[in-house]
């Protein structure tokens, strides 16, 4: 059921002014068993992915830009040690190995948060499981927030 104010805004808007913006994310790259992907998840040779190209996530945690900034910092750190172009692939591989675990965890939190927002009312109708999940979410929130907002490069 929609909030009356939200309905008022929707009804006052012309159809041409309402824009549909679908949101998509991707599974964390740790969800693979391919050894090459595990050794260098976002890099191949002298090319590396970063930001949304490497770890797309739902926007509800505000972490897409934060994780991209951390990627940039780590890329700078790894490339600063390169003394010859032949060392670039190794530096890019190290960047991706260092970053993939943290970003996979943040992606998981973002997916969970998005699912909670979409299906919260439905979830709360499930006896025992709904209240248990809500309680566990509340208890884990200090740890989650500390993890999200403490940069780890």
């Amino acid at each position: 059921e929609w909030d009356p104010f939200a309905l008022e805004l929707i009804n006052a808007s012309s159809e041409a002014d309402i824009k549909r913006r679908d949101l998509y994310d991707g599974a964390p790259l740790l969800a693979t068993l391919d050894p090459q992907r595990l050794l260098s998840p976002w890099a191949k040779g002298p090319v590396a992915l970063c930001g949304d190209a490497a770890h797309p996530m739902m926007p509800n945690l505000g972490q897409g830009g934060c994780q991209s900034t951390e990627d940039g910092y780590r890329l700078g750190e790894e490339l600063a040690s390169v003394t010859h172009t032949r060392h670039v692939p190794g530096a890019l591989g190290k960047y991706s190995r260092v970053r993939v675990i943290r970003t996979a965890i943040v992606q998981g939190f973002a997916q969970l948060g998005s699912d909670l927002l979409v299906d919260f009312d439905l979830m709360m109708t499930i006896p025992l499981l709904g209240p248990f999940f809500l309680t566990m979410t509340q208890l884990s929130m200090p740890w989650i927030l500390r993890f999200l907002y403490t940069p780890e490069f």
Side-chain angles (χ1 to χ4, degrees):
E1 185 173 307
W2 287 82
D3 179 79
F5 182 67
L7 284 175
E8 183 181 337
L9 290 173
I10 291 169
N11 292 332
S13 302
S14 71
E15 184 109 12
D17 291 334
I18 299 174
K19 305 220 182 331
R20 177 180 169 158
R21 291 189 168 90
D22 296 332
L23 299 174
Y24 299 97
D25 63 355
L29 289 182
L30 285 178
T32 182
L33 297 178
D34 179 359
Q36 180 57 39
R37 293 282 302 278
L38 293 174
L39 291 174
S40 186
W42 307 326
K44 185 171 185 179
V47 177
L49 299 174
C50 66
D52 285 345
H55 41 74
M57 59 187 75
M58 299 304 280
N60 52 302
L61 294 179
Q63 284 292 305
C66 296
Q67 294 307 306
S68 297
T69 302
E70 289 184 22
D71 287 351
Y73 181 88
R74 175 49 55 191
L75 274 168
E77 290 288 302
E78 297 305 332
L79 292 173
S81 66
V82 170
T83 57
H84 191 277
T85 56
R86 72 176 171 267
H87 300 134
V88 169
L92 296 178
K94 184 175 179 193
Y95 140 77
S96 65
R97 286 189 301 278
V98 167
R99 293 287 301 140
V100 72
I101 293 173
R102 177 171 168 78
T103 57
I105 293 169
V106 173
Q107 273 183 291
F109 286 155
Q111 286 174 342
L112 178 61
S114 180
D115 292 345
L116 283 173
L117 288 172
V118 171
D119 297 325
F120 181 79
D121 292 335
L122 176 63
M123 184 186 67
M124 291 309 293
T125 64
I126 302 171
L128 297 176
L129 184 60
F132 172 78
F133 195 74
L134 178 62
T135 301
M136 294 311 294
T137 301
Q138 291 169 334
L139 291 174
S140 64
M141 197 52 61
W143 181 84
I144 291 170
L145 292 174
R146 191 168 31 258
F147 179 82
L148 289 177
Y149 299 108
T150 302
E152 190 173 299
F153 305 113

